[in-house]
């Protein structure tokens, strides 16, 4: 199989030159955007809030929290998002979700690697689970696709059944923050074996889009209760409300 793969690879490369996942023009390398699309994405980086990852306009100490996190400290230990959620980054998320473009998961994982400086061999990747009905209609969980690609590139294990979704939840977008918390608060459970798996380990919790944080916070709460030493949220895009971004 390995030999066949090696033999076929140059032919496949010749037949399918890598393309920019946004506009489709040919690019030099796999899993890369073209320069125009790369410039139009709003990449997020330091300085940002230690709690929720919201970017700051100017330098602050590394453990600085924004006003929202000071008032309501999140259960997790930080959010690392590749880009701001906007028309272009949402296109990538939509294609990952509905277009079966699995190569996008590799591209997202590649872009998340810059946040993974401190991961250790005990780190465990856990994707935010989908309810089995949604999994059944879609066929896959987009967070698992990102998690799997990241697990491969960082060489750390992933667990698909440590956290389970016990309840299908309606879209949270139009709900107040209290209602969101209530809706997803009891939507997740830990599987029977997960405590032994999670206890004392740092966790990378993977989601495609970080919106209000209610979903990831509910998962982080369970993971912390099971003894996780740290829960960092890794996602492709983060929603920033007007005035939140630098
Ligand atoms: Zn492009
Ligand atoms: Zn914050």
């Amino acid at each position: 199989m390995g030999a066949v793969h090696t033999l076929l690879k140059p032919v496949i490369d010749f037949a399918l030159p890598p393309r920019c996942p946004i506009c489709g023009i040919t690019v030099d390398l796999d899993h890369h955007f073209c320069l125009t699309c790369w410039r139009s994405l709003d990449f997020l980086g330091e300085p940002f809030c230690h709690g929720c990852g919201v970017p700051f306009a100017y330098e602050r100490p590394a453990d600085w929290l924004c006003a929202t996190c000071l008032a309501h400290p999140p259960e997790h230990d930080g959010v690392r998002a590749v880009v701001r959620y906007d028309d272009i980054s949402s296109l990538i998320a939509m294609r990952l979700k509905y277009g079966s473009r699995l190569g996008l998961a590799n591209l997202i994982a590649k872009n998340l690697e810059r946040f993974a400086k401190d991961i250790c061999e005990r780190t465990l990747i856990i994707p935010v689970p989908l309810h089995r009905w949604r999994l059944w209609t879609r066929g896959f969980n987009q967070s698992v696709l990102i998690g799997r690609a990241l697990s491969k590139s960082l060489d750390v294990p992933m667990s698909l059944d440590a956290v389970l979704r016990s309840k299908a939840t309606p879209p949270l977008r139009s709900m107040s923050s209290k209602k969101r918390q209530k809706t997803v608060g009891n939507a997740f459970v830990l599987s029977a074996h997960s405590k032994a798996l999670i206890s004392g380990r740092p966790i990378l919790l993977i989601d495609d889009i970080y919106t209000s944080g209610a979903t990831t916070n509910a998962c982080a709460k369970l993971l912390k209760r099971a003894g996780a030493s740290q829960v960092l949220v890794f996602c492709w895009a983060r929603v920033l409300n007007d005035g939140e971004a630098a």
Side-chain angles (χ1 to χ4, degrees):
M1 183 65 196
V4 172
H5 182 253
T6 317
L7 273 175
L8 285 176
K9 190 147 194 332
V11 180
I12 292 166
D13 282 350
F14 176 74
L16 298 168
R19 290 182 178 276
C20 169
I22 295 175
C23 69
I25 71 160
T26 308
V27 289
D28 292 340
L29 292 164
D30 255 336
H31 316 316
H32 280 69
F33 299 106
C34 75
L35 192 61
T36 312
C37 291
W38 186 79
R39 280 194 181 134
S40 60
L41 283 163
D42 190 356
F43 284 89
L44 300 176
E46 291 177 356
F48 50 64
C49 166
H50 183 65
C52 68
V54 65
F56 290 141
Y58 23 93
E59 281 307 322
R60 306 274 169 89
D63 57 354
W64 200 265
L65 292 175
C66 72
T68 311
C69 290
L70 268 178
H72 305 282
E75 301 282 345
H76 53 69
D77 299 288
V79 178
R80 306 286 182 265
V82 178
V83 290
R84 179 190 183 131
Y85 184 80
D86 56 19
D87 289 349
I88 298 173
S89 62
S90 66
L91 196 68
I92 294 284
M94 288 292 282
R95 286 182 182 165
L96 180 68
K97 216 182 262 190
Y98 302 109
S100 301
R101 300 187 63 169
L102 308 191
L104 285 177
N106 290 327
L107 179 141
I108 293 170
K110 214 156 190 47
N111 279 277
L112 278 166
E113 279 177 22
R114 70 187 155 111
F115 297 122
K117 295 186 290 272
D118 301 325
I119 68 131
C120 67
E121 63 216 7
R122 293 206 25 88
T123 300
L124 181 67
I125 289 178
I126 297 184
V128 170
L130 280 183
H131 189 266
R132 61 181 188 283
W133 296 343
R134 200 159 289 167
L135 195 59
W136 186 72
T137 49
R138 193 180 298 159
F140 62 88
N141 173 354
Q142 68 279 10
S143 301
V144 170
L145 298 183
I146 300 171
R148 187 171 290 142
L150 203 58
S151 163
K152 226 177 183 177
S153 69
L154 299 178
D155 196 22
V156 294
M158 171 169 81
S159 169
L160 291 180
D161 59 358
V163 180
L164 305 169
R165 197 158 192 144
S166 56
K167 209 175 81 175
T169 47
L172 303 176
R173 216 161 253 274
S174 56
M175 295 180 192
S176 69
S177 111
K178 256 213 171 102
K179 181 101 195 284
R180 282 176 181 177
Q181 278 173 32
K182 215 174 150 210
T183 307
V184 294
N186 56 358
F188 301 96
V189 287
L190 291 175
S191 61
H193 72 284
S194 61
K195 193 158 173 28
L197 189 69
I198 291 161
S199 185
R201 285 177 95 156
I203 307 291
L204 291 185
L205 184 61
I206 312 290
D207 209 353
D208 56 344
I209 298 160
Y210 182 93
T211 311
S212 68
T215 307
T216 41
N217 226 28
C219 292
K221 194 173 181 174
L222 282 179
L223 293 166
K224 281 290 180 79
R225 209 183 286 161
S229 59
Q230 185 193 51
V231 179
L232 272 182
V233 180
F234 273 31
C235 57
W236 160 241
R238 189 201 192 288
V239 172
L240 291 169
N241 299 319
D242 287 343
E244 262 191 333

